Structures are given as structure tokens and as C-alpha cells.
């Protein structure tokens, strides 16, 4: 058959040799052998030393904690105004950063910090952490009715 071709049939030889497709940046991944005959999947790997938010939570800490929104938080409990957070999936290491704040649901004028006391550091593990919600103006006074938001970065 001796016939002239145009359009896609004329350029189909571009996929005759299988290609490697890769992505780079904060994540890396590679798919090999793409020849157009089927779909590919690129599994990605987060680059080492890339900090990302691995968990976050917003909850009402009045009485038994009520989670309003979360990602990777299995549970939050409270005992004597000390909150205990447990992750669904453990952190890759215990050197994560906790960013957070609290406000008193009974008073819009009071903002607080999430406080990690030196005596609590051993309880900061890959599986979770403990903290107090304390007034910024009085670091020893716990908020009895806090609305708390935090994120975990590592």
C-alpha cells in the first residue's frame, strides 16, 4: 500500500520509542515506558527537608472537646485543662512545630497562646502531644472555655 497520510497517523511514530515522564520540585516522581498505549501513574515522594502541614485542627475545648474541622487528628481529650492530641498517622519525627492560638468563647477580648511547658516536652512524640491554652497576659492562667486552632508543620 503506497499512500500519503496526514494528521495524527503521520506523526504517530513520535510515541514509537517509550518515554520517561518525571516531575520535580517539592515532590519528585517518575513514570517510565509511556508509549501512548495506556495510562500511567506517577507515584510521588516528598523531598527531604520539605516542611508541610501534616495535621490541623479547630475545636471547641469547653467541656469535652468537640472537633469542628481536622486533618490527621484521631482524638483530643482534656484532663485538668491539659489537652492531649493524638494523630491518625504518626509524624515522621518528633521535631515538628506546633502553630496555634486559642480564644475564650466567653470573652471576645481574650486571646491566648498554645503553651508547651518544659515539663511537657517528653510527651511530644510522633503520635501526639499535650498542651495548655493559657492567656497571653497571664501564662499561668488556663482558659476554661477555649476555642482552639492549631497546625503541625514538619
Amino acid at each position: 500500500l503506497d499512500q500519503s497520510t496526514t494528521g495524527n497517523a503521520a506523526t504517530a511514530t513520535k510515541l514509537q520509542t517509550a518515554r520517561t515522564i518525571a516531575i520535580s520540585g517539592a515532590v519528585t516522581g517518575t513514570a517510565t515506558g509511556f508509549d501512548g498505549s495506556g495510562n500511567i501513574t506517577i507515584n510521588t515522594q516528598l523531598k527531604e527537608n520539605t516542611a508541610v502541614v501534616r495535621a490541623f485542627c479547630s475545636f471547641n475545648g469547653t467541656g469535652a472537646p468537640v472537633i469542628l474541622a481536622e486533618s490527621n487528628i484521631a482524638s483530643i481529650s482534656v484532663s485538668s485543662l491539659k489537652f492531649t492530641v493524638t494523630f491518625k498517622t504518626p509524624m515522621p519525627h518528633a521535631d515538628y512545630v506546633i502553630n496555634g492560638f486559642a480564644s475564650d468563647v466567653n470573652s471576645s477580648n481574650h486571646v491566648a497562646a498554645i503553651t508547651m511547658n518544659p515539663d511537657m516536652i517528653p510527651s511530644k512524640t510522633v503520635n501526639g502531644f499535650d498542651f495548655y491554652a493559657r492567656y497571653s497576659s497571664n501564662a499561668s492562667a488556663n482558659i476554661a472555655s477555649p476555642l482552639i486552632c492549631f497546625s503541625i508543620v514538619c
Side-chain angles (χ1 to χ4, degrees):
L1 180 67
D2 188 10
Q3 185 173 347
S4 175
T5 59
T6 60
N8 190 42
T11 59
T13 56
K14 289 183 179 180
L15 288 176
Q16 183 176 352
T17 302
R19 305 292 181 193
T20 297
I21 299 173
I23 57 174
S24 63
V27 295
T28 59
T30 303
T32 59
F34 177 70
D35 62 5
S37 63
N39 294 331
I40 59 169
T41 299
I42 300 176
N43 294 316
T44 59
Q45 175 81 26
L46 187 63
K47 278 191 175 177
E48 189 174 338
N49 299 324
T50 300
V52 296
V53 174
R54 296 186 184 262
F56 72 85
C57 189
S58 173
F59 71 97
N60 187 329
T62 304
V66 176
I67 295 175
L68 306 172
E70 62 82 21
S71 175
N72 196 28
I73 303 299
S75 66
I76 299 175
S77 60
V78 63
S79 176
S80 300
L81 298 178
K82 178 176 80 172
F83 294 94
T84 299
V85 176
T86 304
F87 303 126
K88 291 177 184 173
T89 302
M91 295 297 120
H93 52 76
D95 293 329
Y96 49 85
V97 174
I98 302 167
N99 300 302
F101 69 92
S103 62
D104 190 335
V105 296
N106 293 327
S107 172
S108 62
N109 296 325
H110 292 104
V111 177
I114 292 178
T115 305
M116 296 292 294
N117 289 345
D119 62 329
M120 293 170 51
I121 297 301
S123 69
K124 183 179 161 191
T125 70
V126 296
N127 296 310
F129 63 96
D130 295 334
F131 72 91
Y132 293 93
R134 294 196 165 147
Y135 290 108
S136 300
S137 59
N138 184 352
S140 63
N142 293 331
I143 297 178
S145 302
L147 177 62
I148 300 171
C149 297
F150 66 82
S151 62
I152 306 302
V153 178
C154 65

